[in-house]
Amino acid sequence: MPPTLQTVVRRMGLRPLAGGLPADTVVRWVAVSELADPTPYLEGDELLLTTGLRLEGDLAGYVGRLVARGVAGLGFGVGVSHAEVPPALVDAAGRAGLPLLEVPRETPFIAIGKAVSELLAAEQYEEITRAFAAQGRLTRAALRPEGMHAVIDRLAKEVGGWAALLDETGAVRHATRGARTDGVTAELGRLLTGGGRPLPAGPGEERQREGGRGRWPASLALSGPGEHIVVQPLGGGGARPRGFFAVGAREAFSPVTHTVINAAGSLLTLAMEQGRTQAAAERRVRSAALDLLLSGAGQQARDVLAALGGRLPEPPLAVLAARADALDVLETRVFAAPEPHAGDVVFAFVPEALVEEVAGEADTPVGVSLPATYDPASLSTALDQARRALAAALVSTGPRVVRFGELAGQGLLGLLDQATAQAFATALLAPLTAYGSRADLVESLRAYLESNGHWDAAAQRLGIHRHTLRYRMRRVGDLLGRDLDDPGVRAELWLALEAARRYPVTSCAAGSS
């Protein structure tokens, strides 16, 4: 902190005359002025020096203005315009509580200014030294096996309070003893769900937010009775941070403490990015190992995984397929890798006994294959089964976990992915849906097939005469160029109609409107 008025008085041999010398009064600068009202040129916490050249009249008003401006004290130089400090000034300063000091004739004002500058420079150097020392201790903590957790522990000691590490959702992952994170998690939850704007922080932090142009603020400041908290995002900022850390203490944070906090943020971000880079590399290796398994190089795949400390589960096993965002969860439990040469689907090899447990932890739609081995043909089939089961799970309004064996009970469509079924239905039914604006051809064909080709039953279902239905079916056959008496044609048309009903396509809807 800046030097106190007591320190300046002792160092320069000034004589206190009135107002006392409060121990907490600091001097941030020295100003010299002979103006009757120098306050427009002051900021507060200055030691104001004057020879009283223009002091006359109401000295109480002069003193009152200085007190209102927040000056640290008034130094009066004697032996120039006044042989001694005017008694009226001493009286006014005493009544207002303004520290009044007598500056001897032999003490130049500039000497007082130099002394204060030296004290300020020494304080700044000490602050920088403390900050560098703290940064060194944080860096050594970052090199420990505990990594980010060690940095959090060290940071709490440096600020004399507590610290916590939170993930991208605002959930606490590590916290020191006495951490008060309830308010932090509540505020982050509000911000992450778009429930409001960040709480105001200091002026500097507010400017950082305004300059961010919609990006996440550089920091958040929360305060309460006897509690000051700073929250910073991790992962380079941006619209969605990859994590957060929070620091709390009873006293307001000093500039040195803010420097230490920022240093900790840099170390934590670096550690997080390094961890992400390593994780990405390991995922590429596992994807390559999956490629080796599919090509029949099972032993090479095991050797590659062994170098990472991983291994494959013993067969029989099931293959789980999920969206790419489930990889973070799956890879902590079992062998999991992105689909080779694609990456939009991830596969996990899971012992049969753990399928339900692992699939439930993924908290996302999952497809499960039939039991498989590491034989390339068996494994390739299992991957395809898991992928098809995942496609069914993604469009299902029922269970989030779909086993391939369950698709047989859903009919032939259960074995086709949505895009394939939609494309098949669109192409086959296009001549009917494009025929003018008559939707009755499609509905008539559906009624005819559902009635197994019985004219009377189908006509009664449609509420039309059977001769009208016969005419429509001849028109359907002509438009499609197919024989409706052929069982294979009927099967294809039925599948197309079911696909169009289960997976509506815009073109079909437009053509039949």
Side-chain angles (χ1 to χ4, degrees), residues 367-445:
V368 184
S369 74
L370 297 175
T373 67
Y374 290 114
D375 176 77
S378 174
L379 192 58
S380 179
T381 299
L383 263 61
D384 183 65
Q385 291 173 351
R387 190 186 297 106
R388 292 179 181 275
L390 172 61
L394 289 172
V395 300
S396 173
T397 58
R400 294 168 64 86
V401 179
V402 175
R403 290 179 175 266
F404 181 79
E406 299 170 352
L407 297 182
Q410 301 178 20
L412 185 59
L413 277 181
L415 302 178
L416 300 177
D417 62 73
Q418 180 176 341
T420 300
Q422 285 177 330
F424 172 74
T426 300
L428 187 55
L429 299 178
L432 304 184
T433 57
Y435 180 61
S437 60
R438 300 182 61 182
D440 53 3
L441 291 185
V442 174
E443 295 306 317
S444 297
L445 175 60

Side-chain angles (χ1 to χ4, degrees), residues 59 94 137 170-171 197 209 224 343-344 351 429 447 454:
L59 296 184
R137 291 188 290 269
R197 293 173 54 83
R209 294 176 191 172
D344 55 340
L429 299 178
H454 295 296

Side-chain angles (χ1 to χ4, degrees), residues 144-238:
R144 294 175 56 185
E146 301 91 332
M148 298 177 73
H149 290 188
V151 173
I152 290 294
D153 294 341
R154 183 70 246 176
L155 178 60
K157 295 179 181 178
E158 296 295 340
V159 303
W162 58 265
L165 181 67
L166 304 95
D167 64 16
E168 67 277 6
T169 69
V172 177
R173 291 295 175 232
H174 178 71
T176 60
R177 181 176 299 179
R180 300 173 61 181
T181 57
D182 290 346
V184 174
T185 55
E187 177 64 9
L188 288 179
R190 187 175 70 89
L191 297 176
L192 291 170
T193 55
R197 293 173 54 83
L199 294 181
E205 293 167 351
E206 193 63 42
R207 286 194 294 271
Q208 287 178 309
R209 294 176 191 172
E210 294 171 354
R213 298 182 181 178
R215 296 169 67 84
W216 191 272
S219 64
L220 303 176
L222 312 176
S223 61
E227 185 79 71
H228 297 269
I229 301 173
V230 169
V231 184
Q232 288 192 11
L234 297 174

